[in-house]
Amino acid sequence: MSKILPALLLVVMLLHLIRPIGLPGLKRRADFWKIAVVAIVLMMLTVLIRP
């Protein structure tokens, strides 16, 4: 799971650069950094949760 999440988020970031997703807060191509922030937070959570 910890290896799938970063790969999936990278794919989402690349797709957002090609064509914006259109969700609230992700309307422009320049908003891809928000996906990166969410990715970093999710990775930190997976590290904290793992025993």
Side-chain angles (χ1 to χ4, degrees), residues 9-46:
L9 289 167
L10 281 174
V11 169
V12 170
M13 286 176 66
L14 288 173
L15 289 174
H16 183 73
L17 283 174
I18 295 169
R19 182 169 183 232
I21 297 171
L23 295 174
L26 296 172
K27 300 268 184 198
R28 298 180 300 155
R29 286 189 173 117
D31 291 335
F32 76 97
W33 65 270
K34 294 176 185 177
I35 299 171
V37 170
V38 170
I40 292 169
V41 169
L42 286 175
M43 283 187 249
M44 279 194 240
L45 284 174
T46 57

